[in-house]
Amino acid sequence: MLDHHPGQEAYWKDRLGDKAVIEPVGAACTLVVRAWQTAGKLAMMSELSAKVLICGILDNTLNFQAAITKPEDHDAYQALMPLSKLDDNWPAQ
């Protein structure tokens, strides 16, 4: 389980052990990207999956304006952009 809302760590760690990843990043999608990177599989991600994760990162971070936004959110977004085949200015469009 991946979550970016801290506060229930003990509850989930008790039930899921190491399978519970709860970290205060701007977007849970950032944690998904990290998991793919850690597994060495990011390059294998589909274009559609990359687009969905990019949208989740932008949504959860309020276009990187939310106070909870972390550098890792920006890094995950940048890692996904080549896979998504989106133009750099697509959010403005």
Side-chain angles (χ1 to χ4, degrees):
M1 180 195 80
L2 303 173
D3 192 3
H4 66 121
H5 297 107
Q8 298 298 319
E9 292 88 347
Y11 175 86
W12 289 111
K13 293 281 184 190
D14 185 49
R15 282 151 184 81
L16 300 177
D18 291 339
K19 294 179 183 173
V21 177
I22 304 170
E23 295 184 26
V25 294
C29 292
T30 297
L31 300 175
V32 173
V33 173
R34 183 198 302 158
W36 278 72
Q37 289 171 320
T38 299
K41 306 264 184 190
L42 189 62
M44 299 168 63
M45 182 180 285
S46 72
E47 181 180 334
L48 179 58
S49 293
K51 287 177 178 176
V52 168
L53 291 169
I54 282 173
C55 289
I57 291 170
L58 287 180
D59 180 64
N60 283 172
T61 63
L62 304 174
N63 291 337
F64 299 117
Q65 301 304 307
I68 195 170
T69 303
K70 304 289 188 234
E72 189 175 0
D73 297 304
H74 290 275
D75 295 344
Y77 180 92
Q78 290 303 320
L80 292 169
M81 281 300 289
L83 301 172
S84 73
K85 300 181 182 167
L86 292 168
D87 293 328
D88 287 338
N89 68 341
W90 78 270
Q93 296 174 6

